[in-house]
Amino acid sequence: MKSVLFYFIPLAMFAAVNNLVDRLYWPYYLVLLLAFLVFQLARVRYPKDAVPPIAKISQAIFYILTVAFIFRDQYLDPWIINVLLGVTLGIVIVEIMQYKKKPSS
């Protein structure tokens, strides 16, 4: 359960910054960097050599979301970021439902 928070806390931080901040400055980028690093920690759910394909897809979509967020002020509208957040959240939920961590014996 604790590893699931590595998915939802960064997505909540991205959503909060996207919907509450009009113009991004360096402190917000630091918050987004921290959220990005926390999302990467979600891979600790899996053994190093056995990361499932859906986890790799969720990581790739989160990379795309992060790059899109960086260019939000210059090229994109916040609603596009919200759509990408929704897609990322959907993929993360699918991943969590498919690969629940089994308790150790």
Side-chain angles (χ1 to χ4, degrees):
M1 179 62 185
K2 292 178 186 177
S3 63
V4 173
L5 293 176
F6 288 138
Y7 288 116
F8 293 118
I9 290 174
L11 290 174
M13 290 170 69
F14 267 60
V17 170
N18 187 47
N19 293 313
L20 299 176
V21 176
D22 293 329
R23 184 101 173 116
L24 295 176
Y25 297 104
W26 70 268
Y28 301 115
Y29 287 114
L30 289 177
V31 168
L32 295 177
L33 175 65
L34 177 66
F36 179 79
L37 294 174
V38 170
F39 195 89
Q40 297 307 308
L41 289 175
R43 285 186 151 189
V44 299
R45 300 178 69 209
Y46 307 108
K48 186 175 184 178
D49 57 345
V51 178
I54 191 74
K56 292 178 183 178
I57 291 171
S58 68
Q59 293 287 325
I61 290 176
F62 195 74
Y63 290 147
I64 293 168
L65 171 66
T66 304
V67 170
F69 209 110
I70 290 169
F71 293 113
R72 182 191 82 158
D73 287 344
Q74 288 86 14
Y75 305 110
L76 301 173
D77 290 327
W79 67 269
I80 295 173
I81 304 300
N82 284 334
V83 169
L84 288 172
L85 276 166
V87 169
T88 307
L89 181 64
I91 295 295
V92 164
I93 289 172
V94 168
E95 176 188 344
I96 290 169
M97 290 173 51
Q98 285 186 356
Y99 295 96
K100 290 187 178 184
K101 189 173 183 180
K102 294 176 178 67
S104 54
S105 304

